Amino acid sequence: HYEIEEIVSEPENAATTNPSIRRWLTIHDRATQKELLTKTDLSTDTGRTHLAQFLTEYSGRPVQCVTHTPHDRVNHEFQFGNTASGVKLNDGNTRTLHIVNQNTIDDVRTKCGLDLLHATRFRPNIIIDGPPAWSEFDWVQHNQHLQVMTTTNDNQSRPTTLKLRAIQRTVRCDAVSVDPLDPRLLDIPKLLTQHFPEHGPFLGIYAVVESPGTLQVGDTLQVI
């Protein structure tokens, strides 16, 4: 279980309040509901060290917990995601985002006869809604660039500094058979292979960040 808590302090003689963010993580055994990791604040060095120790002991392999913030004192080249796509396909660039198309999710739900299928099951960084189902695979095939567009106060669409490039389809493993929002276990790789043999066990794409910027809910992607 992950939650973000904003704590507002009001120091004396201060004109404004000073909010701070706490990022709490608790880990339970899904089958028994036994608490494995007590509530830990990942916004602190102590909390990240505690999580790393827990994961190291649990997995039997050395684990290091890092952050994306510039002040992070750990010298690392970790990929913030579950893929090495950016590293392999873009000269070691680890700035890779996972994109899932809601229309593709809806197509899977309909053709697999499911009454409910959350896009969050597929662990995306970005959920898009608009392109035809599966059209995002064409972006990968043509290694296309994606320009992020935002809407101004006068209702005009303008490009932001954020640019992405589609680099690889996402192969699905058994991890997405579990959805924290849905108690059912679904064999997603098998369902995809059965109902979409032309695509196989793939859903979603990876895109590398070629030019950094800000992304907001409601922004659009323009294929260029």
Side-chain angles (χ1 to χ4, degrees), residues 35-184:
E35 186 176 85
L36 302 178
L37 177 71
T38 57
K39 194 173 183 180
T40 301
D41 184 8
L42 300 186
S43 67
T44 66
D45 288 337
T46 300
R48 292 191 291 272
T49 299
H50 182 51
L51 174 63
Q53 291 173 342
F54 165 78
L55 293 175
T56 295
E57 294 173 3
Y58 194 80
S59 67
R61 301 177 62 182
V63 175
Q64 190 175 20
C65 184
V66 300
T67 73
H68 72 286
T69 51
H71 65 264
D72 189 354
R73 294 187 296 275
V74 180
N75 181 22
H76 67 80
E77 295 181 354
F78 289 92
Q79 168 66 46
F80 285 91
N82 64 346
T83 175
S85 297
V87 179
K88 294 177 180 178
L89 302 176
N90 202 51
D91 297 326
N93 190 339
T94 62
R95 300 180 302 172
T96 307
L97 297 174
H98 183 214
I99 302 174
V100 164
N101 183 355
Q102 182 62 54
N103 286 331
T104 300
I105 300 295
D106 292 341
D107 191 40
V108 172
R109 176 180 54 79
T110 300
K111 292 181 179 177
C112 292
L114 303 172
D115 59 338
L116 188 66
L117 189 65
H118 296 107
T120 52
R121 175 184 287 272
F122 299 92
R123 280 64 166 177
N125 299 116
I126 302 172
I127 301 173
I128 57 175
D129 187 2
W134 307 102
S135 63
E136 60 273 22
F137 284 1
D138 294 336
W139 305 347
V140 172
Q141 182 179 355
H142 300 291
N143 203 225
Q144 288 186 297
H145 290 77
L146 308 172
Q147 170 69 64
V148 175
M149 309 289 292
T150 193
T151 303
T152 61
N153 292 333
D154 57 357
N155 207 33
Q156 298 294 314
S157 182
R158 66 170 179 81
T160 71
T161 59
L162 180 57
K163 294 181 181 179
L164 313 173
R165 179 166 55 85
I167 58 172
Q168 194 172 58
R169 299 182 302 164
T170 309
V171 63
R172 307 317 317 203
C173 64
D174 288 336
V176 294
S177 297
V178 177
D179 181 359
L181 301 178
D182 187 344
R184 298 172 303 170

